[in-house]
Amino acid sequence: MNYKVMIFDIDGTLVDDDHNFTNRTKEAIKRLYDQGVILGLASGRTIGQLQQHAKEWGLEGYFKVLIALNGASLYDGINNKEYDFFRLKREWIKEIIEMMQVYKEDAKCHIYNDELTIFFKEDEDFRKYKMTGRKVIAAETIDEMCQYEVPKVLFKTTLEKSEEIESYAKAHCTENYEVVRTQPIYLEFVCKGCTKAYGLKYFCEHNNIDLKDVASFGDTSNDNNMLEVSGLGVCLANGSEDTKKIADVVTKEDNNHDGLAKFIEENLL
């Protein structure tokens, strides 16, 4: 199978559960790059964070497509351009946070972009982020959380109540925004229409690439649209059931056993 573009989710796909990027995965990515495949990352992280990950992996410059913030932003490395597509309005952010106060003990809110992370109250995650040197703010009021228009509002839930909280959140979304699960304990509110597929389509349209020539890889619900529009959609064995159902292929091994690298070696090299 020959594909011009390959796009990879990170957590649960490109790295293992401990966020390790294995040597086997690195070699598989390098071989694809050497064959002329246009490589990309698609994640809830910012463009700056994705570029930093590539540098840490020793793959700086390898990824020409960066679909960031689950489709709210895009870096087109072919044309060296950045795009911002979606931003939640401040009044929507306030509405979301107030609505989620029902679960304030089980769903901790924070908002971030490349420059700043805002937490609702000082907690353990706030202290961890502060130690990294990032600029962080511990907001004391909901109004302080709503200082900027941002691509998403993230809630870190407890595993025990994650499904209950997700159901509640979906039932209370408006015509302006929706909620998506990005990891087992992470829920993110984004603008309607903000998906990884949106960023992928935009990149392909502006570089004369047919979506059938794209292979994409993911593991959970926020990857679904991207896998659906691609010529090949691959879900890792550890993926969520909804993502496995819409994928063209499910890998034999999971992300903790080089499932992605083995699939690439056996089918794409």
Side-chain angles (χ1 to χ4, degrees), residues 10-69:
I10 297 179
D11 296 306
T13 303
L14 203 57
V15 300
D16 64 22
D17 288 348
D18 294 321
H19 305 290
N20 296 313
F21 185 83
T22 69
N23 287 330
R24 189 166 183 174
T25 300
K26 182 175 180 178
E27 288 308 308
I29 294 296
K30 280 186 170 183
R31 289 177 66 186
L32 290 172
Y33 180 85
D34 290 342
Q35 289 184 3
V37 177
I38 298 170
L39 303 174
L41 299 173
S43 171
R45 294 170 175 81
T46 65
I47 290 173
Q49 288 171 325
L50 295 180
Q51 290 171 330
Q52 181 61 33
H53 278 305
K55 185 176 182 180
E56 291 169 353
W57 298 333
L59 297 173
E60 187 173 10
Y62 276 66
F63 298 100
K64 300 299 183 183
V65 192
L66 301 177
I67 301 169
L69 297 164

CSV table of all heavy atoms in Angstrom, one decimal, residues 10-69:
chain,number,residue,atom,x,y,z
A,10,ILE,N,-0.8,11.0,19.0
A,10,ILE,CA,0.3,10.8,19.8
A,10,ILE,C,0.0,9.8,21.0
A,10,ILE,O,0.4,8.6,21.0
A,10,ILE,CB,0.9,12.1,20.4
A,10,ILE,CG1,1.4,12.9,19.3
A,10,ILE,CG2,2.0,11.8,21.4
A,10,ILE,CD1,2.0,14.3,19.7
A,11,ASP,N,-0.8,10.3,21.9
A,11,ASP,CA,-1.1,9.4,23.1
A,11,ASP,C,-1.9,8.2,22.7
A,11,ASP,O,-3.0,8.3,22.1
A,11,ASP,CB,-1.9,10.3,24.2
A,11,ASP,CG,-1.0,11.4,24.7
A,11,ASP,OD1,0.1,11.2,25.2
A,11,ASP,OD2,-1.5,12.6,24.6
A,12,GLY,N,-1.5,7.1,23.2
A,12,GLY,CA,-2.2,5.8,22.9
A,12,GLY,C,-1.9,5.3,21.5
A,12,GLY,O,-2.4,4.2,21.1
A,13,THR,N,-1.1,6.0,20.7
A,13,THR,CA,-0.8,5.6,19.3
A,13,THR,C,0.7,5.6,19.0
A,13,THR,O,1.3,4.6,18.8
A,13,THR,CB,-1.6,6.6,18.3
A,13,THR,OG1,-3.0,6.6,18.6
A,13,THR,CG2,-1.3,6.1,16.9
A,14,LEU,N,1.2,6.8,19.0
A,14,LEU,CA,2.7,7.0,18.7
A,14,LEU,C,3.6,6.7,19.9
A,14,LEU,O,4.7,6.3,19.8
A,14,LEU,CB,2.9,8.4,18.2
A,14,LEU,CG,4.1,8.6,17.3
A,14,LEU,CD1,4.1,7.7,16.1
A,14,LEU,CD2,4.2,10.1,16.9
A,15,VAL,N,3.0,6.9,21.1
A,15,VAL,CA,3.8,6.6,22.3
A,15,VAL,C,3.1,5.6,23.2
A,15,VAL,O,1.9,5.3,23.0
A,15,VAL,CB,4.0,7.9,23.2
A,15,VAL,CG1,4.8,8.9,22.3
A,15,VAL,CG2,2.7,8.5,23.6
A,16,ASP,N,3.8,5.0,24.2
A,16,ASP,CA,3.1,4.0,25.0
A,16,ASP,C,2.5,4.7,26.2
A,16,ASP,O,2.4,6.0,26.3
A,16,ASP,CB,4.1,3.0,25.5
A,16,ASP,CG,5.3,3.5,26.4
A,16,ASP,OD1,5.1,4.6,27.0
A,16,ASP,OD2,6.3,2.9,26.5
A,17,ASP,N,1.9,4.0,27.1
A,17,ASP,CA,1.2,4.6,28.2
A,17,ASP,C,2.0,5.4,29.2
A,17,ASP,O,1.5,6.2,29.9
A,17,ASP,CB,0.4,3.5,29.0
A,17,ASP,CG,-0.7,2.9,28.3
A,17,ASP,OD1,-1.1,3.5,27.2
A,17,ASP,OD2,-1.3,1.8,28.7
A,18,ASP,N,3.3,5.2,29.1
A,18,ASP,CA,4.3,6.0,29.9
A,18,ASP,C,4.9,7.2,29.1
A,18,ASP,O,5.8,7.8,29.5
A,18,ASP,CB,5.4,5.1,30.5
A,18,ASP,CG,4.9,4.1,31.5
A,18,ASP,OD1,4.0,4.5,32.3
A,18,ASP,OD2,5.3,3.0,31.5
A,19,HIS,N,4.3,7.4,27.9
A,19,HIS,CA,4.7,8.5,27.0
A,19,HIS,C,6.1,8.3,26.4
A,19,HIS,O,6.7,9.2,26.0
A,19,HIS,CB,4.6,9.8,27.7
A,19,HIS,CG,3.3,10.1,28.3
A,19,HIS,ND1,2.2,10.4,27.6
A,19,HIS,CD2,2.9,10.2,29.6
A,19,HIS,CE1,1.1,10.6,28.4
A,19,HIS,NE2,1.5,10.5,29.6
A,20,ASN,N,6.5,7.0,26.4
A,20,ASN,CA,7.8,6.7,25.8
A,20,ASN,C,7.6,6.5,24.3
A,20,ASN,O,6.7,5.9,23.8
A,20,ASN,CB,8.4,5.4,26.3
A,20,ASN,CG,8.7,5.5,27.8
A,20,ASN,OD1,9.3,6.5,28.2
A,20,ASN,ND2,8.3,4.5,28.6
A,21,PHE,N,8.6,7.1,23.5
A,21,PHE,CA,8.6,7.0,22.1
A,21,PHE,C,9.7,6.0,21.8
A,21,PHE,O,10.9,6.3,21.9
A,21,PHE,CB,8.9,8.4,21.4
A,21,PHE,CG,8.9,8.4,19.9
A,21,PHE,CD1,7.7,8.6,19.3
A,21,PHE,CD2,10.1,8.3,19.2
A,21,PHE,CE1,7.7,8.6,17.9
A,21,PHE,CE2,10.0,8.4,17.8
A,21,PHE,CZ,8.8,8.5,17.2
A,22,THR,N,9.4,4.8,21.4
A,22,THR,CA,10.4,3.7,21.3
A,22,THR,C,11.3,3.9,20.1
A,22,THR,O,11.0,4.5,19.1
A,22,THR,CB,9.7,2.4,21.3
A,22,THR,OG1,9.0,2.2,20.0
A,22,THR,CG2,8.7,2.2,22.4
A,23,ASN,N,12.5,3.2,20.2
A,23,ASN,CA,13.4,3.2,19.1
A,23,ASN,C,12.8,2.6,17.9
A,23,ASN,O,13.1,3.0,16.7
A,23,ASN,CB,14.7,2.5,19.5
A,23,ASN,CG,15.5,3.4,20.5
A,23,ASN,OD1,15.5,4.6,20.5
A,23,ASN,ND2,16.3,2.7,21.4
A,24,ARG,N,12.0,1.5,18.1
A,24,ARG,CA,11.4,0.8,16.9
A,24,ARG,C,10.5,1.8,16.2
A,24,ARG,O,10.5,1.8,15.0
A,24,ARG,CB,10.7,-0.4,17.4
A,24,ARG,CG,10.3,-1.3,16.3
A,24,ARG,CD,9.9,-2.7,16.8
A,24,ARG,NE,9.5,-3.6,15.7
A,24,ARG,CZ,9.2,-4.9,15.9
A,24,ARG,NH1,9.3,-5.4,17.1
A,24,ARG,NH2,8.9,-5.6,14.9
A,25,THR,N,9.7,2.5,16.9
A,25,THR,CA,8.8,3.5,16.3
A,25,THR,C,9.6,4.6,15.6
A,25,THR,O,9.3,4.9,14.4
A,25,THR,CB,7.9,4.1,17.4
A,25,THR,OG1,7.1,3.1,18.0
A,25,THR,CG2,6.9,5.1,16.7
A,26,LYS,N,10.7,5.0,16.2
A,26,LYS,CA,11.5,6.1,15.6
A,26,LYS,C,12.1,5.6,14.3
A,26,LYS,O,12.1,6.3,13.3
A,26,LYS,CB,12.6,6.5,16.6
A,26,LYS,CG,13.5,7.6,16.0
A,26,LYS,CD,14.5,8.0,17.1
A,26,LYS,CE,15.4,9.1,16.6
A,26,LYS,NZ,16.4,9.5,17.6
A,27,GLU,N,12.6,4.4,14.2
A,27,GLU,CA,13.1,3.8,13.0
A,27,GLU,C,12.1,3.7,11.9
A,27,GLU,O,12.4,3.9,10.7
A,27,GLU,CB,13.8,2.5,13.3
A,27,GLU,CG,15.1,2.6,14.1
A,27,GLU,CD,16.1,3.6,13.5
A,27,GLU,OE1,16.4,3.5,12.2
A,27,GLU,OE2,16.6,4.5,14.2
A,28,ALA,N,10.9,3.2,12.3
A,28,ALA,CA,9.8,3.1,11.3
A,28,ALA,C,9.5,4.5,10.7
A,28,ALA,O,9.3,4.6,9.5
A,28,ALA,CB,8.6,2.5,12.0
A,29,ILE,N,9.4,5.5,11.6
A,29,ILE,CA,9.1,6.8,11.1
A,29,ILE,C,10.2,7.3,10.1
A,29,ILE,O,9.9,7.9,9.1
A,29,ILE,CB,8.9,7.8,12.3
A,29,ILE,CG1,7.7,7.4,13.1
A,29,ILE,CG2,8.8,9.2,11.8
A,29,ILE,CD1,6.4,7.5,12.4
A,30,LYS,N,11.4,7.1,10.5
A,30,LYS,CA,12.6,7.5,9.7
A,30,LYS,C,12.5,6.9,8.3
A,30,LYS,O,12.8,7.5,7.3
A,30,LYS,CB,13.9,7.2,10.4
A,30,LYS,CG,14.3,8.2,11.5
A,30,LYS,CD,15.7,7.9,12.0
A,30,LYS,CE,16.2,9.0,12.9
A,30,LYS,NZ,17.6,8.7,13.3
A,31,ARG,N,12.2,5.6,8.3
A,31,ARG,CA,12.1,4.9,7.0
A,31,ARG,C,11.0,5.4,6.1
A,31,ARG,O,11.2,5.5,4.9
A,31,ARG,CB,12.0,3.4,7.3
A,31,ARG,CG,13.2,2.7,7.8
A,31,ARG,CD,13.0,1.2,8.1
A,31,ARG,NE,12.7,0.5,6.9
A,31,ARG,CZ,12.4,-0.8,6.9
A,31,ARG,NH1,12.2,-1.5,8.1
A,31,ARG,NH2,12.2,-1.5,5.8
A,32,LEU,N,9.9,5.7,6.7
A,32,LEU,CA,8.8,6.4,5.9
A,32,LEU,C,9.3,7.7,5.3
A,32,LEU,O,9.0,8.0,4.2
A,32,LEU,CB,7.6,6.6,6.8
A,32,LEU,CG,6.8,5.3,7.2
A,32,LEU,CD1,5.7,5.7,8.3
A,32,LEU,CD2,6.2,4.6,6.1
A,33,TYR,N,9.9,8.5,6.2
A,33,TYR,CA,10.4,9.8,5.7
A,33,TYR,C,11.4,9.6,4.6
A,33,TYR,O,11.4,10.4,3.6
A,33,TYR,CB,11.1,10.5,6.9
A,33,TYR,CG,11.6,11.9,6.6
A,33,TYR,CD1,10.8,13.0,6.7
A,33,TYR,CD2,13.0,12.0,6.3
A,33,TYR,CE1,11.3,14.3,6.4
A,33,TYR,CE2,13.5,13.3,6.0
A,33,TYR,CZ,12.7,14.4,6.1
A,33,TYR,OH,13.2,15.7,5.8
A,34,ASP,N,12.3,8.7,4.7
A,34,ASP,CA,13.3,8.4,3.7
A,34,ASP,C,12.7,8.0,2.4
A,34,ASP,O,13.3,8.2,1.3
A,34,ASP,CB,14.3,7.4,4.1
A,34,ASP,CG,15.2,7.9,5.2
A,34,ASP,OD1,15.3,9.1,5.4
A,34,ASP,OD2,15.8,7.1,6.0
A,35,GLN,N,11.5,7.4,2.4
A,35,GLN,CA,10.8,7.0,1.2
A,35,GLN,C,10.0,8.1,0.6
A,35,GLN,O,9.3,8.0,-0.4
A,35,GLN,CB,9.8,5.8,1.6
A,35,GLN,CG,10.6,4.5,1.8
A,35,GLN,CD,9.6,3.3,2.0
A,35,GLN,OE1,8.4,3.5,1.9
A,35,GLN,NE2,10.2,2.2,2.3
A,36,GLY,N,10.0,9.3,1.2
A,36,GLY,CA,9.3,10.5,0.7
A,36,GLY,C,7.9,10.7,1.2
A,36,GLY,O,7.2,11.5,0.6
A,37,VAL,N,7.5,9.9,2.2
A,37,VAL,CA,6.1,10.1,2.7
A,37,VAL,C,6.1,11.4,3.5
A,37,VAL,O,7.0,11.7,4.3
A,37,VAL,CB,5.8,8.9,3.7
A,37,VAL,CG1,4.4,9.2,4.3
A,37,VAL,CG2,5.8,7.6,2.9
A,38,ILE,N,5.0,12.2,3.3
A,38,ILE,CA,4.8,13.4,4.1
A,38,ILE,C,4.2,13.0,5.4
A,38,ILE,O,3.1,12.4,5.5
A,38,ILE,CB,3.8,14.4,3.4
A,38,ILE,CG1,4.4,14.8,2.1
A,38,ILE,CG2,3.5,15.6,4.3
A,38,ILE,CD1,3.4,15.6,1.2
A,39,LEU,N,4.9,13.3,6.5
A,39,LEU,CA,4.5,12.8,7.9
A,39,LEU,C,3.8,14.0,8.7
A,39,LEU,O,4.2,15.1,8.5
A,39,LEU,CB,5.7,12.3,8.6
A,39,LEU,CG,6.5,11.2,8.0
A,39,LEU,CD1,7.7,10.9,8.7
A,39,LEU,CD2,5.6,9.9,7.8
A,40,GLY,N,2.9,13.6,9.5
A,40,GLY,CA,2.2,14.6,10.3
A,40,GLY,C,1.8,14.1,11.7
A,40,GLY,O,1.7,12.9,11.9
A,41,LEU,N,1.6,15.0,12.6
A,41,LEU,CA,1.1,14.7,13.9
A,41,LEU,C,-0.3,15.4,14.1
A,41,LEU,O,-0.5,16.5,13.6
A,41,LEU,CB,2.0,15.3,15.0
A,41,LEU,CG,3.4,14.7,15.0
A,41,LEU,CD1,4.3,15.5,16.1
A,41,LEU,CD2,3.4,13.2,15.4
A,42,ALA,N,-1.2,14.7,14.8
A,42,ALA,CA,-2.5,15.3,15.0
A,42,ALA,C,-2.8,15.1,16.5
A,42,ALA,O,-2.9,13.9,17.0
A,42,ALA,CB,-3.6,14.6,14.2
A,43,SER,N,-3.0,16.1,17.3
A,43,SER,CA,-3.1,16.0,18.7
A,43,SER,C,-3.9,17.2,19.3
A,43,SER,O,-4.2,18.2,18.6
A,43,SER,CB,-1.7,16.1,19.3
A,43,SER,OG,-1.7,16.2,20.7
A,44,GLY,N,-4.2,17.1,20.6
A,44,GLY,CA,-4.8,18.1,21.3
A,44,GLY,C,-3.8,19.2,21.8
A,44,GLY,O,-4.2,20.2,22.3
A,45,ARG,N,-2.5,18.9,21.6
A,45,ARG,CA,-1.5,19.8,22.0
A,45,ARG,C,-1.4,21.0,21.0
A,45,ARG,O,-1.9,21.0,19.9
A,45,ARG,CB,-0.1,19.1,22.1
A,45,ARG,CG,-0.1,18.0,23.1
A,45,ARG,CD,1.2,17.2,23.0
A,45,ARG,NE,1.4,16.2,24.0
A,45,ARG,CZ,0.8,15.0,24.1
A,45,ARG,NH1,-0.1,14.6,23.1
A,45,ARG,NH2,1.1,14.2,25.1
A,46,THR,N,-0.7,22.0,21.4
A,46,THR,CA,-0.5,23.2,20.6
A,46,THR,C,0.6,22.9,19.5
A,46,THR,O,1.4,21.9,19.6
A,46,THR,CB,0.0,24.4,21.4
A,46,THR,OG1,1.3,24.1,22.0
A,46,THR,CG2,-1.0,24.7,22.6
A,47,ILE,N,0.7,23.8,18.5
A,47,ILE,CA,1.8,23.6,17.5
A,47,ILE,C,3.1,23.6,18.2
A,47,ILE,O,4.0,22.8,17.8
A,47,ILE,CB,1.6,24.7,16.5
A,47,ILE,CG1,0.4,24.5,15.6
A,47,ILE,CG2,2.9,24.8,15.6
A,47,ILE,CD1,0.1,25.7,14.7
A,48,GLY,N,3.4,24.6,19.1
A,48,GLY,CA,4.7,24.6,19.8
A,48,GLY,C,5.0,23.4,20.5
A,48,GLY,O,6.1,22.9,20.5
A,49,GLN,N,4.0,22.8,21.2
A,49,GLN,CA,4.3,21.5,21.9
A,49,GLN,C,4.6,20.4,21.0
A,49,GLN,O,5.4,19.5,21.3
A,49,GLN,CB,3.1,21.2,22.8
A,49,GLN,CG,2.9,22.1,24.0
A,49,GLN,CD,1.6,21.9,24.7
A,49,GLN,OE1,0.6,21.7,24.1
A,49,GLN,NE2,1.6,22.1,26.0
A,50,LEU,N,3.9,20.3,19.8
A,50,LEU,CA,4.2,19.3,18.9
A,50,LEU,C,5.6,19.4,18.3
A,50,LEU,O,6.3,18.4,18.1
A,50,LEU,CB,3.1,19.3,17.7
A,50,LEU,CG,1.7,19.0,18.1
A,50,LEU,CD1,0.8,19.1,16.9
A,50,LEU,CD2,1.6,17.6,18.8
A,51,GLN,N,6.0,20.6,18.0
A,51,GLN,CA,7.4,20.8,17.5
A,51,GLN,C,8.4,20.5,18.6
A,51,GLN,O,9.4,19.9,18.2
A,51,GLN,CB,7.5,22.3,17.1
A,51,GLN,CG,6.7,22.7,15.9
A,51,GLN,CD,6.7,24.2,15.6
A,51,GLN,OE1,6.8,25.0,16.5
A,51,GLN,NE2,6.6,24.5,14.3
A,52,GLN,N,8.1,20.7,19.8
A,52,GLN,CA,9.0,20.3,20.9
A,52,GLN,C,9.1,18.8,21.0
A,52,GLN,O,10.2,18.3,21.2
A,52,GLN,CB,8.5,21.0,22.2
A,52,GLN,CG,9.4,20.7,23.4
A,52,GLN,CD,10.8,21.2,23.2
A,52,GLN,OE1,11.1,22.2,22.6
A,52,GLN,NE2,11.8,20.4,23.8
A,53,HIS,N,8.0,18.1,20.9
A,53,HIS,CA,8.0,16.7,21.0
A,53,HIS,C,8.9,16.1,19.8
A,53,HIS,O,9.7,15.2,20.1
A,53,HIS,CB,6.6,16.1,20.8
A,53,HIS,CG,5.8,16.1,22.1
A,53,HIS,ND1,6.3,15.5,23.2
A,53,HIS,CD2,4.6,16.6,22.4
A,53,HIS,CE1,5.4,15.6,24.2
A,53,HIS,NE2,4.3,16.3,23.7
A,54,ALA,N,8.7,16.6,18.6
A,54,ALA,CA,9.5,16.1,17.5
A,54,ALA,C,11.0,16.3,17.8
A,54,ALA,O,11.8,15.4,17.5
A,54,ALA,CB,9.1,16.8,16.2
A,55,LYS,N,11.3,17.4,18.4
A,55,LYS,CA,12.7,17.7,18.7
A,55,LYS,C,13.3,16.8,19.8
A,55,LYS,O,14.4,16.2,19.6
A,55,LYS,CB,12.9,19.2,19.2
A,55,LYS,CG,14.3,19.6,19.5
A,55,LYS,CD,14.3,21.1,19.9
A,55,LYS,CE,15.7,21.6,20.1
A,55,LYS,NZ,15.8,23.0,20.5
A,56,GLU,N,12.4,16.5,20.8
A,56,GLU,CA,12.8,15.6,21.8
A,56,GLU,C,13.0,14.2,21.3
A,56,GLU,O,13.9,13.4,21.8
A,56,GLU,CB,11.8,15.6,22.9
A,56,GLU,CG,11.7,16.8,23.7
A,56,GLU,CD,10.5,16.9,24.6
A,56,GLU,OE1,9.6,16.0,24.5
A,56,GLU,OE2,10.4,17.9,25.4
A,57,TRP,N,12.3,13.8,20.3
A,57,TRP,CA,12.4,12.4,19.7
A,57,TRP,C,13.5,12.3,18.7
A,57,TRP,O,13.8,11.2,18.2
A,57,TRP,CB,11.1,12.1,19.0
A,57,TRP,CG,9.9,12.0,19.8
A,57,TRP,CD1,9.8,11.7,21.2
A,57,TRP,CD2,8.5,12.2,19.4
A,57,TRP,NE1,8.5,11.7,21.6
A,57,TRP,CE2,7.7,12.1,20.6
A,57,TRP,CE3,7.9,12.6,18.2
A,57,TRP,CZ2,6.3,12.2,20.5
A,57,TRP,CZ3,6.5,12.7,18.1
A,57,TRP,CH2,5.7,12.5,19.3
A,58,GLY,N,14.2,13.4,18.5
A,58,GLY,CA,15.3,13.4,17.5
A,58,GLY,C,14.8,13.4,16.0
A,58,GLY,O,15.4,13.0,15.1
A,59,LEU,N,13.5,14.0,15.9
A,59,LEU,CA,12.9,14.0,14.6
A,59,LEU,C,12.5,15.4,14.2
A,59,LEU,O,11.5,15.6,13.5
A,59,LEU,CB,11.7,13.1,14.6
A,59,LEU,CG,12.0,11.6,14.8
A,59,LEU,CD1,10.7,10.8,14.9
A,59,LEU,CD2,12.8,11.0,13.6
A,60,GLU,N,13.3,16.4,14.6
A,60,GLU,CA,13.0,17.8,14.3
A,60,GLU,C,12.9,18.0,12.7
A,60,GLU,O,13.9,17.6,12.0
A,60,GLU,CB,14.0,18.7,14.9
A,60,GLU,CG,13.6,20.2,14.7
A,60,GLU,CD,14.6,21.1,15.5
A,60,GLU,OE1,15.6,20.5,16.0
A,60,GLU,OE2,14.3,22.3,15.7
A,61,GLY,N,11.9,18.5,12.2
A,61,GLY,CA,11.8,18.8,10.8
A,61,GLY,C,11.1,17.6,10.0
A,61,GLY,O,10.9,17.8,8.8
A,62,TYR,N,10.9,16.5,10.7
A,62,TYR,CA,10.4,15.3,10.0
A,62,TYR,C,8.8,15.5,9.7
A,62,TYR,O,8.3,14.9,8.7
A,62,TYR,CB,10.6,14.0,10.8
A,62,TYR,CG,11.9,13.4,10.6
A,62,TYR,CD1,13.1,14.1,11.0
A,62,TYR,CD2,12.1,12.2,10.0
A,62,TYR,CE1,14.4,13.5,10.8
A,62,TYR,CE2,13.3,11.6,9.8
A,62,TYR,CZ,14.4,12.2,10.2
A,62,TYR,OH,15.7,11.6,10.0
A,63,PHE,N,8.2,16.2,10.6
A,63,PHE,CA,6.7,16.2,10.5
A,63,PHE,C,6.3,17.5,9.8
A,63,PHE,O,6.4,18.6,10.4
A,63,PHE,CB,6.1,16.1,11.9
A,63,PHE,CG,6.4,14.8,12.6
A,63,PHE,CD1,7.4,14.7,13.5
A,63,PHE,CD2,5.7,13.6,12.2
A,63,PHE,CE1,7.7,13.5,14.1
A,63,PHE,CE2,6.0,12.4,12.8
A,63,PHE,CZ,7.0,12.3,13.8
A,64,LYS,N,5.8,17.4,8.6
A,64,LYS,CA,5.4,18.6,7.8
A,64,LYS,C,4.0,19.0,8.0
A,64,LYS,O,3.6,20.1,7.5
A,64,LYS,CB,5.7,18.3,6.3
A,64,LYS,CG,7.1,18.0,6.0
A,64,LYS,CD,8.0,19.1,6.3
A,64,LYS,CE,9.5,18.8,5.9
A,64,LYS,NZ,10.4,19.9,6.3
A,65,VAL,N,3.2,18.2,8.7
A,65,VAL,CA,1.8,18.6,9.0
A,65,VAL,C,1.6,18.5,10.5
A,65,VAL,O,1.9,17.4,11.1
A,65,VAL,CB,0.8,17.6,8.3
A,65,VAL,CG1,-0.6,18.1,8.4
A,65,VAL,CG2,1.2,17.3,6.9
A,66,LEU,N,1.2,19.6,11.1
A,66,LEU,CA,0.9,19.6,12.6
A,66,LEU,C,-0.5,20.0,12.7
A,66,LEU,O,-0.8,21.2,12.6
A,66,LEU,CB,1.9,20.5,13.3
A,66,LEU,CG,3.4,20.1,13.2
A,66,LEU,CD1,4.2,21.2,13.9
A,66,LEU,CD2,3.6,18.7,13.7
A,67,ILE,N,-1.4,19.1,13.0
A,67,ILE,CA,-2.8,19.4,13.3
A,67,ILE,C,-2.9,19.5,14.8
A,67,ILE,O,-2.9,18.5,15.5
A,67,ILE,CB,-3.8,18.3,12.7
A,67,ILE,CG1,-3.6,18.1,11.2
A,67,ILE,CG2,-5.2,18.6,13.1
A,67,ILE,CD1,-4.2,16.9,10.6
A,68,ALA,N,-3.0,20.7,15.3
A,68,ALA,CA,-2.9,21.0,16.7
A,68,ALA,C,-4.3,21.3,17.3
A,68,ALA,O,-5.3,21.7,16.6
A,68,ALA,CB,-2.0,22.1,16.9
A,69,LEU,N,-4.4,21.1,18.6
A,69,LEU,CA,-5.6,21.5,19.4
A,69,LEU,C,-6.8,20.8,18.8
A,69,LEU,O,-7.9,21.5,18.6
A,69,LEU,CB,-5.7,23.0,19.5
A,69,LEU,CG,-4.6,23.7,20.2
A,69,LEU,CD1,-4.6,25.2,19.9
A,69,LEU,CD2,-4.7,23.4,21.7
